[in-house]
Amino acid sequence: MMLSRLTALLLLSAAAWSAHAKDAAAAADYPAKPIRLIVGYSPGGSNDVIARLVAKRLQDSMGQPVVVENRPSTGAIVGAVVTARAEPDGYTLMIGASGPIAINPAVYKKLPYSPQDFVPVSLIATFPLVLTVKHDSGIRGLQDLVAYTRKYPERSNYSSSSSTFQMATEQLKEQTGIQAQHVPYKGSNDSMLAVASGEVTFSMLDPGPAAGALKGGLIRGLAVTSAERMPAYPGLPTLKEQGVDLEIGFWIGLFAPKGTPAAIVQRLEQEVAKAVGQPDAAKEMTRLGLTPTVNTSSEFTRQIDREIKAWTQLARQKNIVVE
C-alpha cells in the first residue's frame, strides 16, 4: 500500500513537472505564429481603437502579426464566448471591457460564459462617463436636470446602449433623486443620437462617441464622472463639484483564455505595459478621453472580483435583470 501511494505521488510529480516544462518551452518560443485579438464591439468605437493601437505595438515588439477580429454583439457576448472557447495557448486574446467581464455577470440571468473562463492579463486604460443632454434643451447643469425630471417624471427618460451604461445611470439616479425611465439602444452612437434629437432627456456616454457631438454642438455636457476634470473636456465639472459624492469609472483590458500558461501571461503583461507606456499611445488615449493604466494580472483579477460583487449588489437593489 505504501509503495502504491509513493508511486502515485511520483507519477503526479512527474506529470506536474512535465506540464511545467511544456509551458516553459511554449513560452520560450512565444509567439511563433500570428495572434488574433478579439474585440466584442464594432469597428470605430473606443474598444476597437484601443485594440488596434495595442495590436500594432505588440506586433512591432513581438515580431508576429496581431490581427484584430471584430465580433460585435449585444453585451459583447459573442466575442467573450469565442475567446473563452479558444485554445489557451496565447494565440487568441481579447480586448475586454467592464461590461462583459464585470457587469454582465451581475445583470444577466444566464450567460454562455463565466468571468472565470478568462485570465486577466492587464488593464490598458480607464475612463469616466460624460453626462449629456440635447444642446438646446435648456438644461445647463446637473441641478437643472434633477429639477426637470422631478417636475416632469412622466416625460423624463434616458438612453443606454448596454447594461454598463444603465447601471451607471441607476447609480446617478440613486445619488441625485433623478426620475427617469430607461430606453435601450443598440449602440453608443444610437444612444448619443437619441439625446441629440431629443428622443430622450439625457444619457451617460463614454468619451469617444460623445466627443464629436459635444464639439459639434449637438449635445451639451453637464458633468464628468471622474474624480477630477478630464484634460479632453476641461470645461466640464465633475459630479463632486456639483455636490454629488459619486465617481464612476470603467476600463478596457487584455484577457486570455483560462489555462493559458503563466509564463505567456507574464510576457503579455510586460508587453502591454511597454505598449501603453509609449508616448504616442498615451497621447492617443488621452485624446479619446481615456487614461492609460496598467497593472499586474493578479491585481487585475482582484479588482474584477471586487467589481462583480459591487455591481451584483446594485443590480439586486434595482431589480435589474437581463433575460
Side-chain angles (χ1 to χ4, degrees):
M1 180 68 72
M2 184 65 72
L3 185 59
S4 297
R5 192 171 294 171
L6 180 60
T7 301
L9 286 171
L10 288 172
L11 288 172
L12 284 172
S13 297
W17 183 88
S18 176
H20 176 75
K22 183 179 178 181
D23 286 352
D29 296 333
Y30 179 81
K33 62 181 182 179
I35 297 168
R36 66 173 181 161
L37 186 58
I38 305 295
V39 182
Y41 302 90
S42 301
S46 297
N47 288 275
D48 178 71
V49 172
I50 291 301
R52 295 177 191 281
L53 182 150
V54 171
K56 181 182 184 304
R57 285 153 184 81
L58 292 181
Q59 180 172 297
D60 292 345
S61 178
M62 297 196 293
Q64 286 288 347
V66 179
V67 182
V68 174
E69 185 176 314
N70 295 91
R71 293 295 190 98
S73 66
T74 301
I77 290 174
V78 171
V81 171
V82 169
T83 306
R85 295 177 180 173
E87 190 71 24
D89 55 8
Y91 291 99
T92 298
L93 306 173
M94 178 179 76
I95 291 293
S98 306
I101 301 298
I103 296 179
N104 282 1
V107 300
Y108 273 83
K109 193 170 184 179
K110 187 176 181 180
L111 278 175
Y113 67 90
S114 163
Q116 285 70 46
D117 290 333
F118 309 99
V119 179
V121 176
S122 174
L123 273 173
I124 295 172
T126 58
F127 61 94
L129 300 182
V130 183
L131 176 61
T132 66
V133 295
K134 187 180 181 183
H135 189 267
D136 60 358
S137 66
I139 299 171
R140 308 187 68 85
L142 176 59
Q143 295 310 317
D144 289 345
L145 178 63
V146 173
Y148 178 89
T149 64
R150 287 179 175 176
K151 186 175 182 179
Y152 305 108
E154 71 286 346
R155 68 171 80 159
S156 298
N157 49 21
Y158 72 90
S159 61
S160 82
S161 57
S162 73
S163 55
T164 301
F165 301 103
Q166 182 185 3
M167 294 285 276
T169 309
E170 290 300 325
Q171 277 190 305
L172 180 68
K173 287 171 60 181
E174 173 121 344
Q175 290 284 329
T176 60
I178 285 174
Q179 299 181 40
Q181 296 300 310
H182 174 231
V183 182
Y185 286 82
K186 289 184 177 180
S188 293
N189 193 56
D190 295 327
S191 187
M192 181 277 296
L193 288 174
V195 183
S197 66
E199 287 180 22
V200 297
T201 312
F202 71 98
S203 186
M204 296 181 78
L205 302 170
D206 49 333
L214 283 168
K215 291 175 182 176
L218 293 176
I219 58 177
R220 180 188 300 279
L222 303 183
V224 292
T225 65
S226 48
E228 299 177 351
R229 294 196 181 199
M230 294 173 59
Y233 306 111
L236 285 184
T238 66
L239 291 173
K240 289 185 178 180
E241 286 181 79
Q242 300 182 73
V244 180
D245 188 17
L246 179 63
E247 181 182 341
I248 304 172
F250 296 112
W251 46 259
I252 299 170
L254 184 68
F255 293 81
K258 177 184 177 181
T260 300
I264 289 179
V265 172
Q266 185 176 26
R267 169 77 188 280
L268 288 167
E269 182 186 304
Q270 294 167 350
E271 293 291 344
V272 169
K274 189 191 304 182
V276 173
Q278 293 180 20
D280 61 332
K283 183 178 180 180
E284 177 63 12
M285 289 187 197
T286 301
R287 185 186 69 80
L288 292 169
L290 307 172
T291 301
T293 311
V294 297
N295 59 2
T296 66
S297 178
S298 58
E299 289 169 342
F300 199 10
T301 300
R302 290 193 295 271
Q303 175 181 338
I304 291 169
D305 288 343
R306 290 192 302 268
E307 291 188 9
I308 290 174
K309 291 176 183 176
W311 289 120
T312 299
Q313 182 178 5
L314 179 63
R316 288 174 179 170
Q317 288 174 350
K318 296 296 181 180
N319 195 29
I320 298 174
V321 179
V322 181
E323 298 290 342

